[in-house]
Amino acid sequence: MDIGVLLPTGTAQWGPADDPRELVDLGRLAERSGFSSLFVNDSLVSPRIEALSMLAALAPATGTVTLGTAALMPFLRRPVQAAQALASIDLLSGGRLTVAVGAGFPGRFGRPLYTLSELPWDRRFARLDETVSLWRALWDGADAFHGEILRFDGIPPTTRPFRADGPPVWLGGATPAALARTGLMYDGWLPYPPDPADYASGLRDIRRAAADAGRAAEDITPAVFVSVRIDDDIEGGRRALEGYARATYGMPLEELEKIQAVVTGSADQVRQRLGEYVTAGVRHIVVRLGALGLSSQRDQLERVADLIPAVRGAAARASFAPGS
């Protein structure tokens, strides 16, 4: 059971006096506190430390944690150059990179970014899958790639990753098509469903698709992305998350929690809710800390770290339960 944390790389999560270089220190603190992964998100919607730049800074500053994206949007980068950048981070980290990818969303969080990238919105999922296939081919030493959308000949030698097969690539999506594609070709699944029952249902569909493709269930890491706020009670946590949701997304909490997993309350209440995702099959939780300002982020990180043994214990019990 892995429990990771999303670093607050967006300026909306910083206080007026915060120094973004403190993010590296926050990553080190997370590693010392028992978190097994550090994730960063990727966007052009609001100012932030660029995702791959942040991971490159964390690579030499940490020693054991997985470094991941939640989620990288490959269409924002030239595909061959992105393959080299990702391989470089995998090298610098000694093989600790995990790349969760997505194709963007309708509305202001996705479609306008395609205009900035000078790429068509149509066939974005096919482009995403081909981009990942191209990366894997380049990491394996290919000098050409011929897909339906991406076609390259005479590719010069590119940087090879630390691991012979390259970093694992996860998909962040929960539509029926995304579930099928995850089972067919991805190494992990990183959605954020508000209802753990929907996670369990989606994971079953992924495993059926994987079996149909001749893959084992163990080939796919079941992960989840969830916003967490530990407070004295649920109402206190919700008040804090209301400010977080408006600062980060420009929407009220009640709208955000319709589309994203959000957990708040006392430590026991948060532990119980995370345990429901564990029971649903999750084996890697990526926690986004629902706090504004790096000092408050550190406080929440330490509170969540106290729950790590209990959540891992719940995973151990679920793994040995009848029918698991």
PDB file of all heavy atoms in Angstrom, residues 18 30 44 59 61 65 92 94 111 122 130-131 135 139 152 166 180 188 200 204 223 228 233 238 263 287 299:
ATOM      1  N   ASP A  18       5.266  33.127   0.982  1.00  0.00           N
ATOM      2  CA  ASP A  18       5.825  31.803   0.717  1.00  0.00           C
ATOM      3  C   ASP A  18       6.881  31.863  -0.385  1.00  0.00           C
ATOM      4  O   ASP A  18       6.730  32.580  -1.377  1.00  0.00           O
ATOM      5  CB  ASP A  18       4.728  30.815   0.311  1.00  0.00           C
ATOM      6  CG  ASP A  18       3.890  30.363   1.498  1.00  0.00           C
ATOM      7  OD1 ASP A  18       4.373  30.507   2.637  1.00  0.00           O
ATOM      8  OD2 ASP A  18       2.770  29.876   1.283  1.00  0.00           O
ATOM      9  N   ALA A  30       7.894  15.179   3.505  1.00  0.00           N
ATOM     10  CA  ALA A  30       6.964  14.088   3.196  1.00  0.00           C
ATOM     11  C   ALA A  30       7.689  12.754   3.170  1.00  0.00           C
ATOM     12  O   ALA A  30       7.190  11.745   3.699  1.00  0.00           O
ATOM     13  CB  ALA A  30       6.277  14.361   1.861  1.00  0.00           C
ATOM     14  N   LEU A  44      -1.872  24.899 -17.665  1.00  0.00           N
ATOM     15  CA  LEU A  44      -1.556  26.269 -18.048  1.00  0.00           C
ATOM     16  C   LEU A  44      -2.687  27.218 -17.651  1.00  0.00           C
ATOM     17  O   LEU A  44      -2.671  28.388 -18.002  1.00  0.00           O
ATOM     18  CB  LEU A  44      -1.326  26.367 -19.564  1.00  0.00           C
ATOM     19  CG  LEU A  44      -0.096  25.660 -20.125  1.00  0.00           C
ATOM     20  CD1 LEU A  44      -0.048  25.811 -21.644  1.00  0.00           C
ATOM     21  CD2 LEU A  44       1.183  26.184 -19.499  1.00  0.00           C
ATOM     22  N   ALA A  59      14.329  15.232  -7.793  1.00  0.00           N
ATOM     23  CA  ALA A  59      15.071  13.995  -8.026  1.00  0.00           C
ATOM     24  C   ALA A  59      16.339  13.895  -7.178  1.00  0.00           C
ATOM     25  O   ALA A  59      16.545  12.893  -6.478  1.00  0.00           O
ATOM     26  CB  ALA A  59      15.381  13.840  -9.512  1.00  0.00           C
ATOM     27  N   ALA A  61      17.075  15.702  -4.567  1.00  0.00           N
ATOM     28  CA  ALA A  61      16.807  16.118  -3.187  1.00  0.00           C
ATOM     29  C   ALA A  61      16.140  15.026  -2.361  1.00  0.00           C
ATOM     30  O   ALA A  61      16.020  15.151  -1.146  1.00  0.00           O
ATOM     31  CB  ALA A  61      15.922  17.360  -3.187  1.00  0.00           C
ATOM     32  N   VAL A  65      11.397   8.087  -2.471  1.00  0.00           N
ATOM     33  CA  VAL A  65      10.005   8.260  -2.883  1.00  0.00           C
ATOM     34  C   VAL A  65       9.856   8.188  -4.393  1.00  0.00           C
ATOM     35  O   VAL A  65      10.723   8.628  -5.153  1.00  0.00           O
ATOM     36  CB  VAL A  65       9.429   9.598  -2.386  1.00  0.00           C
ATOM     37  CG1 VAL A  65       9.185   9.577  -0.899  1.00  0.00           C
ATOM     38  CG2 VAL A  65      10.329  10.761  -2.776  1.00  0.00           C
ATOM     39  N   LEU A  92      17.767  10.727 -13.483  1.00  0.00           N
ATOM     40  CA  LEU A  92      18.205  11.541 -12.354  1.00  0.00           C
ATOM     41  C   LEU A  92      17.680  11.018 -11.018  1.00  0.00           C
ATOM     42  O   LEU A  92      18.300  11.215  -9.973  1.00  0.00           O
ATOM     43  CB  LEU A  92      17.762  12.990 -12.553  1.00  0.00           C
ATOM     44  CG  LEU A  92      18.447  13.756 -13.689  1.00  0.00           C
ATOM     45  CD1 LEU A  92      17.743  15.083 -13.932  1.00  0.00           C
ATOM     46  CD2 LEU A  92      19.919  13.986 -13.371  1.00  0.00           C
ATOM     47  N   GLY A  94      17.059   7.773 -10.433  1.00  0.00           N
ATOM     48  CA  GLY A  94      17.401   6.370 -10.249  1.00  0.00           C
ATOM     49  C   GLY A  94      16.238   5.435 -10.470  1.00  0.00           C
ATOM     50  O   GLY A  94      16.111   4.401  -9.815  1.00  0.00           O
ATOM     51  N   ARG A 111     -10.019  22.328 -22.872  1.00  0.00           N
ATOM     52  CA  ARG A 111     -10.090  22.638 -24.298  1.00  0.00           C
ATOM     53  C   ARG A 111      -9.284  23.867 -24.716  1.00  0.00           C
ATOM     54  O   ARG A 111      -8.604  23.822 -25.746  1.00  0.00           O
ATOM     55  CB  ARG A 111     -11.562  22.795 -24.716  1.00  0.00           C
ATOM     56  CG  ARG A 111     -11.724  22.931 -26.212  1.00  0.00           C
ATOM     57  CD  ARG A 111     -13.115  22.574 -26.663  1.00  0.00           C
ATOM     58  NE  ARG A 111     -13.212  22.552 -28.111  1.00  0.00           N
ATOM     59  CZ  ARG A 111     -14.185  21.980 -28.783  1.00  0.00           C
ATOM     60  NH1 ARG A 111     -15.156  21.365 -28.126  1.00  0.00           N
ATOM     61  NH2 ARG A 111     -14.218  21.991 -30.097  1.00  0.00           N
ATOM     62  N   ASP A 122     -10.284  17.342 -31.442  1.00  0.00           N
ATOM     63  CA  ASP A 122     -10.774  16.049 -31.936  1.00  0.00           C
ATOM     64  C   ASP A 122      -9.680  14.986 -31.855  1.00  0.00           C
ATOM     65  O   ASP A 122      -8.500  15.273 -32.059  1.00  0.00           O
ATOM     66  CB  ASP A 122     -11.251  16.180 -33.382  1.00  0.00           C
ATOM     67  CG  ASP A 122     -12.462  17.097 -33.498  1.00  0.00           C
ATOM     68  OD1 ASP A 122     -13.151  17.296 -32.478  1.00  0.00           O
ATOM     69  OD2 ASP A 122     -12.695  17.633 -34.601  1.00  0.00           O
ATOM     70  N   GLU A 130      -1.323   7.263 -28.642  1.00  0.00           N
ATOM     71  CA  GLU A 130      -0.197   7.177 -29.576  1.00  0.00           C
ATOM     72  C   GLU A 130       1.050   7.834 -28.995  1.00  0.00           C
ATOM     73  O   GLU A 130       2.173   7.356 -29.221  1.00  0.00           O
ATOM     74  CB  GLU A 130      -0.557   7.811 -30.923  1.00  0.00           C
ATOM     75  CG  GLU A 130      -1.330   6.893 -31.824  1.00  0.00           C
ATOM     76  CD  GLU A 130      -1.241   7.286 -33.293  1.00  0.00           C
ATOM     77  OE1 GLU A 130      -0.410   8.145 -33.645  1.00  0.00           O
ATOM     78  OE2 GLU A 130      -2.008   6.719 -34.081  1.00  0.00           O
ATOM     79  N   THR A 131       0.862   8.913 -28.268  1.00  0.00           N
ATOM     80  CA  THR A 131       2.010   9.575 -27.652  1.00  0.00           C
ATOM     81  C   THR A 131       2.697   8.648 -26.666  1.00  0.00           C
ATOM     82  O   THR A 131       3.930   8.530 -26.641  1.00  0.00           O
ATOM     83  CB  THR A 131       1.574  10.876 -26.953  1.00  0.00           C
ATOM     84  OG1 THR A 131       1.022  11.767 -27.924  1.00  0.00           O
ATOM     85  CG2 THR A 131       2.748  11.543 -26.269  1.00  0.00           C
ATOM     86  N   TRP A 135       6.483   7.208 -26.803  1.00  0.00           N
ATOM     87  CA  TRP A 135       7.454   7.271 -25.702  1.00  0.00           C
ATOM     88  C   TRP A 135       8.067   5.898 -25.457  1.00  0.00           C
ATOM     89  O   TRP A 135       9.287   5.760 -25.350  1.00  0.00           O
ATOM     90  CB  TRP A 135       6.774   7.729 -24.421  1.00  0.00           C
ATOM     91  CG  TRP A 135       6.325   9.151 -24.403  1.00  0.00           C
ATOM     92  CD1 TRP A 135       6.637  10.146 -25.289  1.00  0.00           C
ATOM     93  CD2 TRP A 135       5.464   9.740 -23.421  1.00  0.00           C
ATOM     94  NE1 TRP A 135       6.019  11.312 -24.937  1.00  0.00           N
ATOM     95  CE2 TRP A 135       5.300  11.104 -23.786  1.00  0.00           C
ATOM     96  CE3 TRP A 135       4.829   9.263 -22.280  1.00  0.00           C
ATOM     97  CZ2 TRP A 135       4.521  11.978 -23.043  1.00  0.00           C
ATOM     98  CZ3 TRP A 135       4.047  10.128 -21.532  1.00  0.00           C
ATOM     99  CH2 TRP A 135       3.897  11.467 -21.912  1.00  0.00           C
ATOM    100  N   TRP A 139      11.950   4.915 -25.713  1.00  0.00           N
ATOM    101  CA  TRP A 139      12.674   4.407 -24.542  1.00  0.00           C
ATOM    102  C   TRP A 139      13.289   3.041 -24.822  1.00  0.00           C
ATOM    103  O   TRP A 139      14.253   2.645 -24.173  1.00  0.00           O
ATOM    104  CB  TRP A 139      11.724   4.320 -23.351  1.00  0.00           C
ATOM    105  CG  TRP A 139      11.242   5.660 -22.863  1.00  0.00           C
ATOM    106  CD1 TRP A 139      11.864   6.869 -23.031  1.00  0.00           C
ATOM    107  CD2 TRP A 139      10.035   5.931 -22.142  1.00  0.00           C
ATOM    108  NE1 TRP A 139      11.122   7.874 -22.460  1.00  0.00           N
ATOM    109  CE2 TRP A 139       9.990   7.335 -21.898  1.00  0.00           C
ATOM    110  CE3 TRP A 139       8.984   5.144 -21.671  1.00  0.00           C
ATOM    111  CZ2 TRP A 139       8.945   7.943 -21.208  1.00  0.00           C
ATOM    112  CZ3 TRP A 139       7.942   5.749 -20.984  1.00  0.00           C
ATOM    113  CH2 TRP A 139       7.929   7.124 -20.754  1.00  0.00           C
ATOM    114  N   PHE A 152       6.994   9.563 -37.453  1.00  0.00           N
ATOM    115  CA  PHE A 152       8.352  10.100 -37.453  1.00  0.00           C
ATOM    116  C   PHE A 152       9.307   9.086 -38.080  1.00  0.00           C
ATOM    117  O   PHE A 152       9.229   7.887 -37.791  1.00  0.00           O
ATOM    118  CB  PHE A 152       8.832  10.390 -36.022  1.00  0.00           C
ATOM    119  CG  PHE A 152       8.031  11.437 -35.293  1.00  0.00           C
ATOM    120  CD1 PHE A 152       7.020  11.066 -34.423  1.00  0.00           C
ATOM    121  CD2 PHE A 152       8.292  12.782 -35.475  1.00  0.00           C
ATOM    122  CE1 PHE A 152       6.291  12.025 -33.732  1.00  0.00           C
ATOM    123  CE2 PHE A 152       7.560  13.747 -34.792  1.00  0.00           C
ATOM    124  CZ  PHE A 152       6.554  13.361 -33.929  1.00  0.00           C
ATOM    125  N   GLY A 166      11.380   1.598 -19.221  1.00  0.00           N
ATOM    126  CA  GLY A 166      10.894   2.953 -19.007  1.00  0.00           C
ATOM    127  C   GLY A 166      10.003   3.066 -17.790  1.00  0.00           C
ATOM    128  O   GLY A 166       9.613   2.066 -17.178  1.00  0.00           O
ATOM    129  N   ALA A 180     -11.470   0.792 -20.568  1.00  0.00           N
ATOM    130  CA  ALA A 180     -11.034  -0.221 -21.531  1.00  0.00           C
ATOM    131  C   ALA A 180      -9.594   0.014 -21.959  1.00  0.00           C
ATOM    132  O   ALA A 180      -8.796  -0.930 -22.068  1.00  0.00           O
ATOM    133  CB  ALA A 180     -11.968  -0.221 -22.738  1.00  0.00           C
ATOM    134  N   GLY A 188      -1.237   1.683 -14.825  1.00  0.00           N
ATOM    135  CA  GLY A 188      -1.939   2.057 -13.610  1.00  0.00           C
ATOM    136  C   GLY A 188      -3.143   2.913 -13.929  1.00  0.00           C
ATOM    137  O   GLY A 188      -3.323   3.374 -15.065  1.00  0.00           O
ATOM    138  N   ALA A 200     -14.710   0.865  -7.284  1.00  0.00           N
ATOM    139  CA  ALA A 200     -14.713  -0.596  -7.324  1.00  0.00           C
ATOM    140  C   ALA A 200     -15.274  -1.108  -8.644  1.00  0.00           C
ATOM    141  O   ALA A 200     -14.735  -2.047  -9.249  1.00  0.00           O
ATOM    142  CB  ALA A 200     -15.523  -1.147  -6.150  1.00  0.00           C
ATOM    143  N   ARG A 204     -13.162  -3.205 -11.621  1.00  0.00           N
ATOM    144  CA  ARG A 204     -13.599  -4.494 -12.169  1.00  0.00           C
ATOM    145  C   ARG A 204     -13.602  -4.452 -13.691  1.00  0.00           C
ATOM    146  O   ARG A 204     -13.169  -5.409 -14.352  1.00  0.00           O
ATOM    147  CB  ARG A 204     -14.994  -4.851 -11.641  1.00  0.00           C
ATOM    148  CG  ARG A 204     -15.014  -5.286 -10.183  1.00  0.00           C
ATOM    149  CD  ARG A 204     -16.345  -5.920  -9.810  1.00  0.00           C
ATOM    150  NE  ARG A 204     -17.445  -4.970  -9.882  1.00  0.00           N
ATOM    151  CZ  ARG A 204     -17.852  -4.218  -8.858  1.00  0.00           C
ATOM    152  NH1 ARG A 204     -17.232  -4.296  -7.694  1.00  0.00           N
ATOM    153  NH2 ARG A 204     -18.877  -3.397  -8.992  1.00  0.00           N
ATOM    154  N   ALA A 223      -4.779   3.118  -8.313  1.00  0.00           N
ATOM    155  CA  ALA A 223      -4.505   4.311  -7.516  1.00  0.00           C
ATOM    156  C   ALA A 223      -5.742   5.200  -7.485  1.00  0.00           C
ATOM    157  O   ALA A 223      -6.676   5.022  -8.269  1.00  0.00           O
ATOM    158  CB  ALA A 223      -3.307   5.063  -8.099  1.00  0.00           C
ATOM    159  N   VAL A 228      -7.863  15.907   0.748  1.00  0.00           N
ATOM    160  CA  VAL A 228      -8.030  15.566   2.163  1.00  0.00           C
ATOM    161  C   VAL A 228      -7.813  16.798   3.029  1.00  0.00           C
ATOM    162  O   VAL A 228      -6.876  17.570   2.812  1.00  0.00           O
ATOM    163  CB  VAL A 228      -7.047  14.454   2.573  1.00  0.00           C
ATOM    164  CG1 VAL A 228      -7.049  14.262   4.085  1.00  0.00           C
ATOM    165  CG2 VAL A 228      -7.394  13.148   1.867  1.00  0.00           C
ATOM    166  N   ASP A 233     -13.684  18.742  13.089  1.00  0.00           N
ATOM    167  CA  ASP A 233     -14.929  18.083  12.713  1.00  0.00           C
ATOM    168  C   ASP A 233     -15.182  18.332  11.231  1.00  0.00           C
ATOM    169  O   ASP A 233     -14.446  19.074  10.569  1.00  0.00           O
ATOM    170  CB  ASP A 233     -16.103  18.582  13.552  1.00  0.00           C
ATOM    171  CG  ASP A 233     -16.230  20.099  13.514  1.00  0.00           C
ATOM    172  OD1 ASP A 233     -16.047  20.695  12.427  1.00  0.00           O
ATOM    173  OD2 ASP A 233     -16.504  20.702  14.575  1.00  0.00           O
ATOM    174  N   ARG A 238     -14.950  21.464   6.139  1.00  0.00           N
ATOM    175  CA  ARG A 238     -15.652  21.947   4.948  1.00  0.00           C
ATOM    176  C   ARG A 238     -15.474  23.457   4.771  1.00  0.00           C
ATOM    177  O   ARG A 238     -15.362  23.936   3.653  1.00  0.00           O
ATOM    178  CB  ARG A 238     -17.141  21.585   5.018  1.00  0.00           C
ATOM    179  CG  ARG A 238     -17.405  20.098   4.819  1.00  0.00           C
ATOM    180  CD  ARG A 238     -18.898  19.810   4.733  1.00  0.00           C
ATOM    181  NE  ARG A 238     -19.493  20.449   3.578  1.00  0.00           N
ATOM    182  CZ  ARG A 238     -19.450  19.968   2.343  1.00  0.00           C
ATOM    183  NH1 ARG A 238     -18.824  18.838   2.083  1.00  0.00           N
ATOM    184  NH2 ARG A 238     -20.043  20.606   1.348  1.00  0.00           N
ATOM    185  N   VAL A 263     -12.400  14.365   1.008  1.00  0.00           N
ATOM    186  CA  VAL A 263     -12.575  13.733   2.315  1.00  0.00           C
ATOM    187  C   VAL A 263     -12.165  14.723   3.391  1.00  0.00           C
ATOM    188  O   VAL A 263     -11.057  15.280   3.346  1.00  0.00           O
ATOM    189  CB  VAL A 263     -11.718  12.456   2.437  1.00  0.00           C
ATOM    190  CG1 VAL A 263     -11.856  11.850   3.826  1.00  0.00           C
ATOM    191  CG2 VAL A 263     -12.107  11.445   1.367  1.00  0.00           C
ATOM    192  N   VAL A 287      -2.731  11.936  -2.100  1.00  0.00           N
ATOM    193  CA  VAL A 287      -3.478  12.886  -1.285  1.00  0.00           C
ATOM    194  C   VAL A 287      -3.154  14.315  -1.713  1.00  0.00           C
ATOM    195  O   VAL A 287      -1.983  14.697  -1.776  1.00  0.00           O
ATOM    196  CB  VAL A 287      -3.138  12.704   0.207  1.00  0.00           C
ATOM    197  CG1 VAL A 287      -3.747  13.823   1.044  1.00  0.00           C
ATOM    198  CG2 VAL A 287      -3.613  11.344   0.701  1.00  0.00           C
ATOM    199  N   ASP A 299       1.287  21.502   8.059  1.00  0.00           N
ATOM    200  CA  ASP A 299       0.475  21.010   9.170  1.00  0.00           C
ATOM    201  C   ASP A 299      -0.413  19.851   8.727  1.00  0.00           C
ATOM    202  O   ASP A 299      -0.487  18.814   9.407  1.00  0.00           O
ATOM    203  CB  ASP A 299      -0.372  22.151   9.736  1.00  0.00           C
ATOM    204  CG  ASP A 299      -1.327  21.674  10.822  1.00  0.00           C
ATOM    205  OD1 ASP A 299      -0.855  21.302  11.904  1.00  0.00           O
ATOM    206  OD2 ASP A 299      -2.548  21.661  10.557  1.00  0.00           O
TER     207      ASP A 299
END
